[in-house]
Amino acid sequence: MNEKTAKSVSKFLSLVLRHSPETIGLKLDENGWADVDELILKCNKKGSQNQMTAELLDYVVENNDKKRFAFNEDKTKIRASQGHSISVELNLEETEPSEYLYHGTVAKFLESIKKEGLQKMSRQHIHLSKDRETAVKVGSRRGAPQILSIRSGQMYRDGFKFYLSENNVWLTDEVPVKYIDF
Ligand code: HQG
């Protein structure tokens, strides 16, 4: 498999499975699942640049660098494991985090984060990483990374809820400033 093709399929799947399924007239169920046959059919409609096949989907689910997508048990459905901007119920179990989690961002957001804490912005959750190294990669998408240490253990003891996505991204709904070490 050509890595360039796999990356472009991953980007396209992120678009339709996280943000705008309507781009190709796709419907997701309330848990974010798309029917695999329907997805392939709609991707391949006349005019689409993305020629989709079952093999391509298999490859991307299996080899995607962040395991962004997952099949259901019988592989009739596919969804993004996190990162949605549209409202979906992922039914994730509440999970106790380690004492610290990390968030990678960039300097231009710090002033606002210092005022209002971390917010979900356009996504369904705030995304946190279990190690600094991962947070550096997340922050680097936007420029020179700034890593915030989140006192997640204390947040958890104070009643904040944390969820671990199927691909090991920590998710939560808000991080007030007092739990952030800048
Ligand atoms: C920032 C990628 C101002 C926040 C990554 C971030 C991740 C604030 C941006 C996943 C703020 C939101 C998510 C506040 C937060 N004021 N800025 N109060 N609170 N921000 O993309 O965490 O490759 O929604 O720091 O690897 O960057 O797509 O979140 O910079 O796992 O699979 O607002 O996306 O994964 O940006 O990234 P995003 P994120 P994928």
Side-chain angles (χ1 to χ4, degrees):
M1 174 69 54
N2 173 335
E3 277 314 308
K4 219 174 135 193
T5 308
K7 192 165 180 190
S8 114
V9 170
S10 169
K11 280 191 181 282
F12 184 73
L13 288 177
S14 288
L15 173 75
V16 297
L17 297 178
R18 286 172 167 178
H19 307 300
S20 55
E22 68 278 6
T23 308
I24 55 167
L26 186 69
K27 283 239 160 22
L28 308 186
D29 73 13
E30 68 274 20
N31 305 120
W33 295 106
D35 182 86
V36 168
D37 290 339
E38 186 189 347
L39 173 69
I40 293 174
L41 205 71
K42 293 197 164 154
C43 284
N44 293 342
K45 259 198 187 155
K46 203 164 150 254
S48 164
Q49 322 148 326
N50 288 274
Q51 289 308 302
M52 193 63 77
T53 61
E55 292 69 31
L56 203 48
L57 282 181
D58 275 357
Y59 182 89
V60 171
V61 168
E62 200 49 48
N63 297 289
N64 187 252
D65 56 351
K66 290 191 191 167
K67 296 267 179 206
R68 290 179 178 87
F69 315 102
F71 287 120
N72 66 343
E73 259 170 39
D74 64 6
K75 287 176 90 170
T76 54
K77 294 179 189 176
I78 185 170
R79 76 175 177 185
S81 294
Q82 37 70 230
H84 299 81
S85 57
I86 50 176
S87 167
V88 294
E89 179 46 72
L90 293 173
N91 287 331
L92 298 173
E93 246 179 72
E94 209 192 310
T95 310
E96 181 174 355
S98 53
E99 235 8 71
Y100 281 88
L101 291 171
Y102 302 91
H103 180 82
T105 188
V106 282
K108 66 176 174 186
F109 295 146
L110 289 181
E111 198 185 326
S112 161
I113 293 172
K114 279 179 181 161
K115 272 194 210 131
E116 53 190 42
L118 285 174
Q119 301 290 332
K120 298 186 223 177
M121 311 310 276
S122 61
R123 305 209 196 226
Q124 293 291 296
H125 294 99
I126 294 167
H127 293 227
L128 303 172
S129 312
K130 69 173 184 320
D131 51 55
R132 283 182 164 271
E133 196 192 345
T134 310
V136 166
K137 285 190 199 150
V138 174
S140 302
R141 287 152 53 237
R142 296 197 161 83
Q146 298 278 329
I147 308 307
L148 310 180
S149 301
I150 310 302
R151 295 197 288 117
S152 41
Q154 191 56 51
M155 283 181 69
Y156 184 77
R157 290 188 288 279
D158 290 348
F160 288 86
K161 291 182 176 162
F162 288 82
Y163 306 89
L164 188 57
S165 74
E166 195 169 330
N167 59 339
N168 288 321
V169 178
W170 284 92
L171 305 171
T172 194
D173 290 327
E174 60 164 326
V175 179
V177 189
K178 66 172 180 173
Y179 298 105
I180 305 176
D181 292 344
F182 288 90

